[in-house]
Each structure stands twice: as C-alpha cells, then as structure tokens.
Amino acid sequence: KAGVTQTPRYLIKTRGQQVTLSCSPISGHRSVSWYQQTPGQGLQFLFEYFSETQRNKGNFPGRFSGRQFSNSRSEMNVSTLELGDSALYLCASSGLIYNEQFFGPGTRLTVL
Amino acid sequence: ELKVEQNPLFLSMQEGKNYTIYCNYSTTSDRLYWYRQDPGKSLESLFVLLSNGAVKQEGRLMASLDTKARLSTLHITAAVHDLSATYFCAVEQLIWGAGTKLIIKP
C-alpha cells in the first residue's frame, strides 16, 4: 500500500510570493491534516479536511488556506510569504476519525 | 488555552535502563497520541490512546493515559540504541508537545 506522498519535497520562494503544496493520502483515507514544524514553534496544526470539508482549523492567519478534492487529495496554499513561513510542512492521512495518522515525508519550504 | 507539556525535553540514558516521558495537558480530553520522529525524517505513529486508563505496549515501549490527571506517560523498558529519536505527544492531534529528544548510549 503506497504511503502518503507530498510534492514538492523542497521549495525555495521569496517574500511576497505564494506557494501551493500537494498531498496525496493513502488510498481509502478520507481525512487529511496539515502541520507546520519549525525549530522555534515545534509542531503546529494547520487544518484538517474530511470528505472535502474543513473539520478543524488551527490558529494561523488567513494567508494559509487549504482544500480537499473528491479523490481525497489535498492542497494547501500560503499567500504573501513571510520569512517566518520557512518550515517543514507535513501532511497526514487517516482512515477513521480519531484513528492513527500516517505522515508524509514533508515539504521543506524556505522563504528568502 | 490548551497546553501540552512534555518532560523531560532532553534525555540521555544508557542502554538497558528504564525511563518515563511525561505528557501533561491542560484540558479534558480522552484522545492522546504518541509519535516518534527520527532526525531528518517524518513522524511515525506509536500509540493511539482513546479512553481513560488505556494502556498500550509495543516492544520496549508502553503508553498509558489518565484523563482525570490529564497525564500520559511513555515508558521505555531496557532501552536500546535504536530507540534514540524525538518523541511527541499530541492531544486530539491538534496540540502537540515540544518533543522529548531521547539519546540512548551503548
């Protein structure tokens, strides 16, 4: 069974640009969550989607948005990038609500 | 504000020893998760604890949940080098602890 895949794996952008990250969950999984990991703030929850609906949202500014498609693939978008957005962005999928999550390898975003 | 506190944040121990990582949280919840992260890698699910008194064991690791005390523990028995990693607890997978970096020396 293929795991969670994230593209791209590495990304370099400049301040003010926008970026879109993609996540393909494990086949059959309908829940996708996104997290930001930085050395200073640790792991922070961004949002969760289930069957194309946002179920939960973390405490991030509106520049961070996401969506989920009918095939459960998800994208997150960050507009007007700031230096502080440099982070590892992790996507995780799960098959059942409250069940264990399976994480992708992450997208390393660097904002210059 | 929901907070999750892990301690210790750093632990260096010898192989063969036992130790416990603590995860305290500030609100009522009966969903607690433990994950492992190796350097430069993503996260791996270890345990899902979904009720008060839940106890789960896998190899040398055992996790428990006391929802009344708002406390979860991850106990390591007879540590081996391969268990060196950073361990995270998460409440409802929304709020995460800072992580415990565990180094096990031969």
Side-chain angles (χ1 to χ4, degrees):
Chain A
K1 202 174 192 181
V4 178
T5 58
Q6 291 185 245
T7 57
R9 293 291 311 278
Y10 302 91
L11 205 49
I12 299 175
K13 292 285 189 178
T14 56
R15 279 181 299 175
Q17 288 187 309
Q18 76 163 15
V19 68
T20 299
L21 311 182
S22 180
C23 171
S24 292
I26 290 172
S27 177
H29 284 190
R30 294 165 65 187
S31 173
V32 174
S33 297
W34 288 89
Y35 300 87
Q36 181 196 66
Q37 186 175 30
T38 60
Q41 299 297 318
L43 270 158
Q44 293 183 283
F45 170 77
L46 280 157
F47 23 68
E48 179 201 1
Y49 288 88
F50 181 83
S51 294
E52 302 179 65
T53 300
Q54 187 179 86
R55 279 169 31 89
N56 279 300
K57 187 178 190 304
N59 189 26
F60 277 81
R63 300 186 297 108
F64 291 81
S65 63
R67 59 178 176 169
Q68 186 181 32
F69 302 96
S70 58
N71 61 358
S72 294
R73 191 177 69 85
S74 178
E75 289 182 346
M76 68 163 282
N77 183 276
V78 187
S79 62
T80 319
L81 284 166
E82 300 176 0
L83 295 178
D85 297 334
S86 295
L88 178 66
Y89 290 88
L90 293 162
C91 163
S93 75
S94 66
L96 297 171
I97 299 174
Y98 309 146
N99 210 342
E100 66 179 326
Q101 290 186 326
F102 296 85
F103 279 78
T107 294
R108 173 75 62 185
L109 172 65
T110 302
V111 182
L112 302 176
Chain B
E1 182 189 356
L2 173 57
K3 291 184 179 180
V4 178
E5 292 186 352
Q6 276 184 247
N7 68 83
L9 297 182
F10 179 80
L11 179 56
S12 178
M13 54 194 291
Q14 295 292 127
E15 275 191 327
K17 299 293 186 181
N18 303 333
Y19 212 82
T20 300
I21 299 170
Y22 297 88
C23 176
N24 290 90
Y25 53 97
S26 62
T27 191
T28 55
S29 175
D30 55 4
R31 302 203 300 274
L32 196 293
Y33 302 79
W34 284 95
Y35 290 86
R36 166 182 174 151
Q37 187 175 37
D38 292 298
K41 304 284 187 179
S42 189
L43 284 94
E44 175 190 354
S45 175
L46 293 174
F47 299 109
V48 178
L49 304 170
L50 298 177
S51 62
N52 185 41
V55 177
K56 291 197 175 180
Q57 183 166 5
E58 180 73 33
R60 300 174 187 275
L61 300 177
M62 184 174 71
S64 65
L65 177 62
D66 182 343
T67 58
K68 294 178 181 176
R70 302 179 186 176
L71 170 69
S72 180
T73 61
L74 179 66
H75 186 73
I76 303 151
T77 301
V80 293
H81 179 67
D82 285 352
L83 291 178
S84 296
T86 297
Y87 293 85
F88 293 93
C89 65
V91 174
E92 304 191 6
Q93 306 201 92
L94 300 179
I95 307 296
W96 292 67
T100 296
K101 185 172 183 178
L102 176 62
I103 295 176
I104 300 169
K105 301 176 181 179

